[in-house]
Amino acid sequence: MTLLRIDQPATGGVDDELVGVTNKVGVLDHCRPAEYIPELLPNGTRKDVKPLTVLQPEGPSFAISDSNLIEWQKWRFRVTFNPREGAVLHDVRYDGRSVLYRLSMSDMTVPYADPRPPFHRKQAFDFGDGGLGNCVNNLTLGCDCLGVIKYFDGLLTNPDGSPEPTKNVICVHEQDNGINWKHTNWRTGRAVVTRRRELVVQYILTLANYEYVFAFKLDQAAGITLEARATGIVSVVNIDEGKTVPWGNIVNPGTLAQNHQHIFCLRVDPAVDGHHNTLVQEESLPADVDPRTNPNGNFYHVNSTVIKESAGINLDPFNNRVFKVQNRSKMNPVSGKPVGYKIAGPPTQLLLAAPGTIQSNRAHFARHHLWVTKYKDDELYAGGRWTMQSRNEVAGVGDAAARKDNVEDEDIVLWSVFGLTHNPRVEDWPVMPVEMVQVHITPSDFFTGNPALDVPSSADNGSKLTEGSCCSTNGANGANGANGN
């Protein structure tokens, strides 16, 4: 109960010391307000936006039974919600064949780059620190999801351990995402086109200043996409008038938005035609000119390497490095290769904090793009179970990989790490437009052909030409193409 000291954050610029008071007495005199609430905008909202309505007159194409079993076209899976991970997909199957045992967001860290105390300690673990479930949004009909929607409730826990229901934490709906596949036979002029419809399982978090939107999107070609969107208000501090710094950007007078990273981890527990799977690294590499095998120099190698021990691995876009989960006990009858699924995360920047520092030690998982470990009960969190005020990642994916377990033809788990290096712009203020990143899980020699070949072609009878369109009726062949005529 003794006051030791009072730390006053520095508000200086690039030429000032990292500690110490530099501001004038009227520290806020040069600041300017900013609003984002529609009714408070000085000029109001746009007047030229007309309604865009999603209509499903016959209802959705998905069905829900047994409280959480979802069936949509050839997909079948269960969805649950827990306070640490949010929405979780279980026992994911396509046309009766097993694809994934479990799919969830595992962790996220947000380290900041301002070297001045106390900001050097600024590193949020948004899933592990406060508990994702405590920040989950109760979704609103017609706003967060469109169309015919099914909402799922969740259960949180009170401090005494008692359950606390929370409404509408997950929304499930269908959406159109452009063309699925198309071809025009140039000999006959016949065009066949199908639309890409997706089933979306979505939840949203408000973690203090930021919003994160997570959506699992299942498509008709047996692919799954995890999409993460970041929006909300960038974390800002005061800065003296007329000064700048290399660790952030001035987004409003007197308002410094600090540079930072958002590094996510998606936990993928595969079950590709069973639980005995192997991770294979595949690269496309140039080949030397050889009079016998490559006389014209256009051939390139496609090299596959089996990952035999648990490890962390990085992506390499210059070698087109991709990773496949294969079941080597089952061969594709067409290609003769093992059936598999490709895991394609974006080759985004990894943790920038210097090795050996607290920021780096707290987030070992953020040092590699992909980890493979042998399945072990209760290993669900890439950053470890306890991240709050930690000084080192304990029992996270780094420790799991360090066991050097055999992961060849085993029950394995993949951890896909991806993120955003966010050096704020003025356009991010006062609320930033969404930034999006995606991880794609797609079949690779799992089928004997395009699994979406049987998706029907149909024209949207609600589509019409706009008045005064620059496109003539003769040139508008979209309807004929959609009908396959």
Side-chain angles (χ1 to χ4, degrees), residues 274-297:
H275 290 279
H276 289 88
N277 293 162
T278 299
L279 181 67
V280 175
Q281 173 183 294
E282 184 180 279
E283 295 181 306
S284 300
L285 304 175
D288 294 333
V289 174
D290 184 284
R292 186 178 63 85
T293 60
N294 189 25
N296 299 300

Side-chain angles (χ1 to χ4, degrees), residues 388-460:
M388 177 67 81
Q389 299 182 9
S390 64
R391 297 180 70 85
N392 196 54
E393 180 184 297
V394 177
V397 70
D399 288 345
R403 292 195 302 261
K404 296 299 180 183
D405 292 330
N406 173 46
V407 291
E408 193 174 3
D409 299 324
E410 291 282 355
D411 189 356
I412 62 174
V413 177
L414 305 180
W415 314 73
S416 178
V417 176
F418 58 98
L420 301 165
T421 297
H422 189 181
N423 303 324
R425 316 165 293 161
V426 174
E427 289 82 1
D428 290 330
W429 188 258
V431 177
M432 63 177 284
V434 293
E435 292 269 358
M436 292 182 284
V437 281
Q438 296 180 331
V439 177
H440 300 280
I441 305 172
T442 51
S444 180
D445 292 333
F446 193 72
F447 301 99
T448 56
N450 180 354
L453 205 61
D454 57 353
V455 174
S457 300
S458 60
D460 177 13

Side-chain angles (χ1 to χ4, degrees), residues 35-47 431:
E35 296 289 354
Y36 65 92
I37 301 296
E39 59 270 23
L40 298 180
L41 294 177
N43 299 318
T45 58
R46 302 181 188 188
K47 305 298 188 293
V431 177

Side-chain angles (χ1 to χ4, degrees), residues 112 126 206-211 231-236 260 262:
Y112 281 76
D126 289 323
T206 299
L207 292 150
N209 54 304
Y210 263 105
E211 263 77 16
T231 179
I233 300 177
V234 290
S235 181
V236 297
H260 58 282
H262 307 256

Side-chain angles (χ1 to χ4, degrees), residues 227-388:
E227 181 180 271
R229 299 188 178 205
T231 179
I233 300 177
V234 290
S235 181
V236 297
V237 297
N238 184 248
I239 188 169
D240 299 344
E241 186 175 10
K243 295 183 177 179
T244 61
V245 295
W247 51 77
N249 192 31
I250 312 302
V251 294
N252 205 46
T255 306
L256 169 65
Q258 299 153 315
N259 297 339
H260 58 282
Q261 293 183 281
H262 307 256
I263 303 180
F264 307 89
C265 183
L266 175 70
R267 184 181 183 274
V268 184
D269 190 343
V272 178
D273 266 349
H275 290 279
H276 289 88
N277 293 162
T278 299
L279 181 67
V280 175
Q281 173 183 294
E282 184 180 279
E283 295 181 306
S284 300
L285 304 175
D288 294 333
V289 174
D290 184 284
R292 186 178 63 85
T293 60
N294 189 25
N296 299 300
N298 61 305
F299 168 73
Y300 61 86
H301 298 281
V302 179
N303 290 351
S304 295
T305 304
V306 173
I307 308 300
K308 298 184 177 183
E309 290 184 340
S310 57
I313 318 163
N314 290 333
L315 291 167
D316 184 355
F318 296 103
N319 287 338
N320 191 45
R321 182 178 293 173
V322 298
F323 295 95
K324 296 180 179 180
V325 180
Q326 295 181 340
N327 187 329
R328 299 192 296 177
S329 68
K330 298 186 178 181
M331 297 295 170
N332 185 293
V334 177
S335 68
K337 297 178 180 179
V339 298
Y341 259 75
K342 182 169 66 174
I343 312 295
T348 51
Q349 195 165 31
L350 295 168
L351 189 69
L352 286 168
T357 61
I358 292 179
Q359 276 197 356
S360 178
N361 290 342
R362 296 183 71 205
H364 293 199
F365 78 88
R367 298 176 178 178
H368 294 289
H369 288 119
L370 187 75
W371 301 79
V372 55
T373 62
K374 187 175 180 179
Y375 174 85
K376 187 176 181 181
D377 285 345
D378 296 328
E379 280 188 348
L380 299 173
Y381 314 123
R385 183 176 292 276
W386 317 110
T387 60
M388 177 67 81

Side-chain angles (χ1 to χ4, degrees), residues 80-111:
T80 62
F81 178 89
N82 71 70
R84 178 70 180 257
E85 300 167 288
V88 180
L89 305 191
H90 305 263
D91 192 21
V92 182
R93 296 173 180 268
Y94 187 90
D95 204 15
R97 296 175 65 183
S98 174
V99 176
L100 301 175
Y101 179 71
R102 196 176 189 274
L103 182 65
S104 65
M105 285 302 303
S106 174
D107 228 319
M108 173 172 58
T109 187
V110 187

Side-chain angles (χ1 to χ4, degrees), residues 51-72:
L52 177 63
T53 304
V54 177
L55 298 176
Q56 294 179 274
E58 298 181 18
S61 298
F62 60 83
I64 298 172
S65 59
D66 197 23
S67 76
N68 67 351
L69 178 63
I70 300 177
E71 295 175 279
W72 179 71

